[in-house]
Amino acid sequence: MKVVNLKQAILQAWKERWSDYQWAINMKKFFPKGATWDILNLAEALLEQAMIGPSPNPLILSYLKYAISSQMVSYSSVLTAISKFDDFSRDLCVQALLDIMDMFCDRLSCHGKAEECIGLCRALLSALHWLLRCPAASAEQLRVGLEAGTPAAAEKQLAMCLQRLEKTLSSTKNRALLHIAKLEEASSWTAIEHCLLKLGDILAGLSSPQLRSQAEQCGTLIRSIPTMLSVHSEQLHKTGFPTVHAVVLLEGTMNLTGETQPLVEQLMMVKRMQHIPTPLFVLEIWKACFVGLIESPEGTGELKWTAFTFLKIPQVLVKLKKYSHGDKDFTEDVNSAFEFLLKLTPLLDKADQRCNCDCTSFLLQECSKQGLLSEASMNNLMAKRKADREHAPQLKSDENANIQPNPGLILRAEPTVTNILKTMDADHSKSPEGLLGVLGHMLSGKSLDLLLAAAAATGKLKSFARKFINLNEFTTHGSEESNEAFGPLSQAVRSAFSSFTAKAASVRALLFDISFLMLCHVAQTYGSEVILSESSTGTEVFFFETWMQTCMPEEGKILNPDHPCFRPDSTKVESLVALLNNSSEMKLVSVAWVPTPRGAVGAGPRPSPSAHPALPYGDFSPALPPRRQMKWHEACLSISAAILEILNAWENGVLAFESIQKITDNIKGKVCSLAVCAVAWLVAHVRMLGLDEREKSLQMIRQLAGPLYSENTLQFYNERSVTRPLLLELCRSGVRCQALQSPLSPSSLTFRDTGLTCSLFLTHSCS
């Protein structure tokens, strides 16, 4: 059907008896997406067609109700369309319009620009004028009916009009919107006052005291609108303290891992200098937290603000409580602050929509748990907020109904952090796989980010990182040497690796990889100072600390690709190059191999693994005596030089691109930390090259950051790559910052949902 205009489409729907959802689907097909339904005046067109006869058209009214429920049309457009109906003699049409208003008059909202919000206020003012004219007309009909002896129908309609009018005006939010409209449209408010006087004169002659009382109540509510601000002037006087707001926002954005005491002292200094009453002081803290939560970026930023609001700020208030004159006084002040906060309904509704939960309820429970509120006060405040939420605007769809809200997850993550720290100190000598299982599950979903945010907000992140540095360091040593070399480590961790079998050695390699990736993620998300600030006071410097300081790319940090840490023992480099190049898939269990002469990249087959006794998973050994093992941290340090050898061979035509793909799959297919170290060196190397020399290095970065071309069934491989989705955008940004003039342009980069954690370093590849 070729539709000429909106009216024709509505008539066609009526003729063919479309259902409401069929009508909505077809309407979206008939009209372009550029113009909104409000611009096309859909609500007005539907009402015009529905109200042609003495009674409304039920089918077309069902289209309008569907459009309202699905938010095809705005509330303001519907109110404006209703206010244009002026034939009050058609009782059934008036009743239908009142029923439509009843659908949404207690939950008016507007999602758009400031002009659209003002438009809602003006539309509500027009609807109020119509609601006053409606009972005036009904009262006149009642007077005529009394004279004719048939007053029942008119009296029923008058009662209905007054009931809808009272329901609309009983909402404080609606009266506030009308107050705004009064300031915008002074002439329209004058018409409202005249209409109210006329209605009072007409109803004064009624014999029904109930109708007169109801009309007087409506008149009182309307006359209270101009004085709304003066009634609350005492509460609204000097309730904004931007300095407190700024301090809290700065702390939540820049210093989640900081100690609480400096923040407490800063806040107390501001409170004393500005003579802020304690209830308003606490209120301003909560306001800043909710604003930060609403405005926080999705992902890790949102988790950080959630942890700051629901974990760190209650701890700050506990310390502020010590500055108060008494516990009872402070709890009363906190209760008063929440009473003020509950009046900021739009702010709380916006936070609830962002977090998909009742944020105030979670906050009240946490404050009660910390002794900041009594149980009775908590229950009273929760009941008030629950009543307010019944009228709050709901989310547009139910897609997020099954998603657990971040506040609940963060509050549950806090005790989990404590349990994990205890687990790291427990005795795992009988079952090292138990520790691996715990750490593997930490990487699933967004568990790691939740745990890190909870640890950061409660001041446990540095201890968290230190234990994983100790674990990572211990996995770099064999069982014989670790008992001698690592006295500072706990006996429980030392005994966990005292009797490695071949299977236990594979667990050791996985623990090395997981702890390495976790520490990289901590440094990337919260800064390297979190790890280095608690560095060991002894002479021993742990591997990860050394690698992070000298090899890990960070913002504002220039790496030297010729640093000694990138130039390890040449024999190990040659052997690693041979292994990566000659093996179709790098075998990490029962691997034995011989060093290849320098420069012989791609030459000759490697000896059979069966030529030598089986080695534990995670150890490399040359076949020639004396027998030596390459540990995983040595492989991480050797991979940079190995990559340089492979790059030279590729640039000189010794290796084809297919061989490079096989080599990069070998690097990233088993131990993700190898690829991380490889990309770390490549980032430093690329920055030292000219634009015309970067092509192959950047292609290798793309291969390492791209998907694995062969299936991987290694234990916890997907979990060890769990940080990839969060960091792929950083990978794009890092490559884009190179201002490439090569075929590897940002537009040609695609990153699928399989790949590697190594992409996290590319965000810092800009010079």
Side-chain angles (χ1 to χ4, degrees):
M1 181 187 74
K2 183 179 179 181
V3 177
V4 177
N5 54 39
L6 192 60
K7 179 180 177 180
Q8 184 179 348
I10 296 172
L11 291 176
Q12 185 70 22
W14 173 72
K15 290 178 182 178
E16 298 181 6
R17 296 298 188 268
W18 293 344
S19 63
D20 50 8
Y21 67 89
Q22 286 176 329
W23 168 81
I25 292 172
N26 289 331
M27 290 293 287
K28 292 178 181 178
K29 291 179 181 178
F30 295 154
F31 293 92
K33 295 181 179 180
T36 64
W37 296 113
D38 285 353
I39 294 176
L40 296 174
N41 291 323
L42 177 61
E44 185 175 345
L46 287 170
L47 275 182
E48 181 183 348
Q49 296 302 315
M51 300 297 170
I52 290 177
S55 62
N57 186 309
L59 183 59
I60 298 181
L61 277 185
S62 71
Y63 299 159
L64 178 60
K65 292 177 180 178
Y66 187 88
I68 295 171
S69 301
S70 60
Q71 297 186 359
M72 286 178 64
V73 294
S74 65
Y75 295 141
S76 59
S77 66
V78 178
L79 291 174
T80 302
I82 290 175
S83 64
K84 293 181 180 180
F85 183 83
D86 56 2
D87 190 356
F88 297 106
S89 62
R90 290 186 282 171
D91 297 348
L92 295 177
C93 291
V94 172
Q95 291 175 17
L97 294 177
L98 291 174
D99 289 339
I100 290 174
M101 288 189 66
D102 200 36
M103 291 175 59
F104 57 83
C105 68
D106 58 346
R107 53 186 176 89
L108 290 176
S109 61
C110 180
H111 304 281
K113 300 179 180 178
E115 294 81 4
E116 296 173 0
C117 297
I118 293 295
L120 176 61
C121 298
R122 290 171 173 162
L124 184 58
L125 187 63
S126 299
L128 175 62
H129 191 199
W130 183 85
L131 283 171
L132 288 173
R133 292 166 57 207
C134 183
S138 299
E140 186 64 27
Q141 293 175 14
L142 177 59
R143 185 182 63 79
V144 175
L146 288 173
E147 295 176 355
T150 57
E155 185 174 357
K156 179 181 178 182
Q157 179 153 322
L158 176 59
M160 182 183 293
C161 293
L162 291 175
Q163 182 182 357
R164 296 297 189 277
L165 180 60
E166 185 177 13
K167 182 178 180 181
T168 303
L169 293 170
S170 61
S171 169
T172 305
K173 183 173 73 172
N174 287 351
R175 296 200 303 275
L177 294 176
L178 289 169
H179 186 277
I180 296 173
K182 170 187 171 296
L183 299 176
E184 292 286 328
E185 300 284 345
S187 59
S188 299
W189 184 256
T190 303
I192 293 285
E193 292 176 332
H194 290 162
C195 195
L196 183 60
L197 291 173
K198 180 180 177 181
L199 178 62
D201 294 338
I202 294 175
L203 296 180
L206 292 180
S207 59
S208 173
Q210 182 179 358
L211 292 177
R212 286 202 308 271
S213 174
Q214 200 169 10
E216 290 173 0
Q217 177 66 21
C218 293
T220 302
L221 290 172
I222 293 174
R223 284 188 287 270
S224 70
I225 291 173
T227 61
M228 286 187 70
L229 289 180
S230 60
V231 170
H232 300 282
S233 59
E234 183 178 351
Q235 296 179 3
L236 297 175
H237 178 66
K238 192 55 180 174
T239 58
F241 300 94
T243 307
V244 177
H245 198 94
V247 169
V248 174
L249 285 176
L250 185 63
E251 186 76 11
T253 304
M254 306 295 295
N255 196 27
L256 177 63
T257 59
E259 298 292 334
T260 58
Q261 188 59 35
L263 175 60
V264 171
E265 293 174 357
Q266 292 173 18
L267 289 172
M268 283 304 301
M269 178 182 65
V270 174
K271 181 179 184 296
R272 288 166 179 164
M273 291 178 64
Q274 298 188 1
H275 306 286
I276 307 175
T278 302
L280 298 182
F281 175 64
V282 177
L283 171 65
E284 193 66 27
I285 293 175
W286 290 134
K287 284 165 58 180
C289 289
F290 278 103
V291 169
L293 189 61
I294 293 168
E295 298 295 333
S296 61
E298 293 185 5
T300 306
E302 184 178 354
L303 293 179
K304 287 181 178 181
W305 261 104
T306 305
F308 178 78
T309 301
F310 294 91
L311 290 177
K312 188 168 186 176
I313 289 300
Q315 294 179 359
V316 170
L317 292 181
V318 169
K319 293 193 174 184
L320 287 172
K321 185 178 180 180
K322 298 177 181 178
Y323 292 87
S324 179
H325 297 295
D327 292 348
K328 183 177 180 180
D329 293 337
F330 192 79
T331 55
E332 290 177 355
D333 290 337
V334 172
N335 181 67
S336 299
F338 274 111
E339 291 281 1
F340 285 127
L341 183 66
L342 291 183
K343 297 182 184 298
L344 304 177
T345 308
L347 177 68
L348 301 183
D349 289 346
K350 189 71 174 178
D352 289 354
Q353 280 189 317
R354 175 67 192 271
C355 298
N356 195 30
C357 68
D358 185 357
C359 295
T360 310
S361 176
F362 281 111
L363 199 56
L364 290 170
Q365 293 177 32
E366 185 64 18
C367 288
S368 177
K369 177 182 174 183
Q370 298 290 343
L372 298 169
L373 279 174
S374 65
E375 185 175 354
S377 298
M378 179 192 71
N379 293 332
N380 178 49
L381 293 166
M382 289 177 66
K384 290 182 178 180
R385 178 58 187 155
K386 183 178 179 181
D388 288 341
R389 291 191 82 232
E390 292 179 358
H391 305 301
Q394 302 298 318
L395 294 176
K396 293 185 178 180
S397 66
D398 296 331
E399 295 179 359
N400 297 329
N402 298 324
I403 299 178
Q404 298 187 59
N406 285 334
L409 294 174
I410 282 289
L411 291 173
R412 288 200 296 272
E414 190 271 331
T416 305
V417 170
T418 304
N419 293 334
I420 289 175
L421 292 177
K422 293 179 181 178
T423 301
M424 296 295 294
D425 290 329
D427 185 0
H428 303 286
S429 58
K430 296 182 180 180
S431 179
E433 293 85 355
L435 176 60
L436 177 62
V438 171
L439 302 186
H441 289 300
M442 283 177 60
L443 293 175
S444 61
K446 60 179 182 181
S447 298
L448 179 59
D449 286 326
L450 282 166
L451 293 169
L452 293 180
T458 53
K460 299 174 183 175
L461 185 59
K462 294 177 181 178
S463 175
F464 194 88
R466 176 52 44 189
K467 290 184 182 297
F468 279 97
I469 287 178
N470 292 343
L471 173 64
N472 179 266
E473 184 67 19
F474 204 87
T475 58
T476 62
H477 294 76
S479 57
E480 298 83 2
E481 57 186 324
S482 30
N483 287 332
E484 300 175 2
F486 290 86
L489 298 178
S490 66
Q491 180 63 32
V493 177
R494 183 163 52 250
S495 62
F497 302 97
S498 59
S499 56
F500 270 117
T501 61
K503 180 180 179 181
S506 68
V507 175
R508 178 178 61 186
L510 289 174
L511 288 176
F512 170 84
D513 198 35
I514 290 175
S515 59
F516 185 95
L517 297 175
M518 281 186 174
L519 290 167
C520 288
H521 189 59
V522 171
Q524 176 75 12
T525 308
Y526 295 95
S528 59
E529 63 275 2
V530 174
I531 295 174
L532 298 177
S533 60
E534 293 290 332
S535 123
S536 175
T537 56
T539 57
E540 185 70 30
V541 180
F542 291 164
F543 157 71
F544 185 82
E545 292 177 317
T546 303
W547 180 86
M548 185 178 67
Q549 289 179 298
T550 55
C551 305
M552 178 176 172
E554 291 184 276
E555 186 174 357
K557 180 178 176 181
I558 303 299
L559 296 178
N560 179 12
D562 297 323
H563 190 279
C565 74
F566 292 127
R567 294 289 176 264
D569 180 76
S570 60
T571 304
K572 295 179 181 179
V573 174
E574 293 164 0
S575 301
L576 183 57
V577 169
L579 177 67
L580 294 174
N581 182 57
N582 294 331
S583 171
S584 61
E585 181 180 358
M586 189 165 63
K587 305 294 183 182
L588 298 180
V589 181
S590 303
V591 173
W593 43 277
V594 297
T596 303
R598 193 169 185 83
V601 176
R606 62 191 282 269
S608 169
S610 60
H612 296 280
L615 295 176
Y617 174 50
D619 294 327
F620 301 131
S621 175
L624 300 178
R627 187 177 182 84
R628 291 185 294 113
Q629 293 183 354
M630 182 187 293
K631 307 300 178 182
W632 279 115
H633 72 291
E634 295 175 334
C636 287
L637 293 175
S638 302
I639 192 67
S640 56
I643 289 292
L644 180 60
E645 294 283 344
I646 294 168
L647 270 176
N648 290 334
W650 187 16
E651 290 173 350
N652 292 321
V654 179
L655 291 178
F657 181 71
E658 291 73 15
S659 300
I660 297 299
Q661 286 183 325
K662 186 183 300 182
I663 289 171
T664 53
D665 274 4
N666 287 338
I667 293 174
K668 68 188 179 183
K670 294 292 183 282
V671 180
C672 299
S673 50
L674 273 182
V676 171
C677 296
V679 172
W681 178 81
L682 281 168
V683 167
H685 179 65
V686 165
R687 295 170 73 173
M688 303 298 291
L689 301 176
L691 289 177
D692 57 341
E693 300 173 322
R694 296 179 176 184
E695 180 180 351
K696 285 188 167 51
S697 298
L698 291 171
Q699 286 186 13
M700 184 168 285
I701 290 176
R702 181 171 62 181
Q703 291 300 315
L704 289 169
L708 190 67
Y709 291 97
S710 58
E711 184 179 359
N712 194 300
T713 57
L714 263 185
Q715 186 180 15
F716 295 119
Y717 181 80
N718 291 332
E719 285 78 4
R720 284 181 284 142
S721 300
V722 75
T723 55
R724 178 186 64 253
L726 174 66
L727 301 164
L728 283 179
E729 184 60 35
L730 299 180
C731 177
R732 294 188 186 97
S733 300
V735 175
R736 188 178 295 115
C737 287
Q738 295 291 343
L740 300 180
Q741 301 296 328
S742 67
L744 187 63
S745 63
S747 60
S748 67
L749 290 175
T750 56
F751 299 93
R752 283 178 270 174
D753 195 28
T754 52
L756 203 58
T757 312
C758 61
S759 60
L760 69 98
F761 293 107
L762 297 181
T763 183
H764 298 306
S765 60
C766 313
S767 56

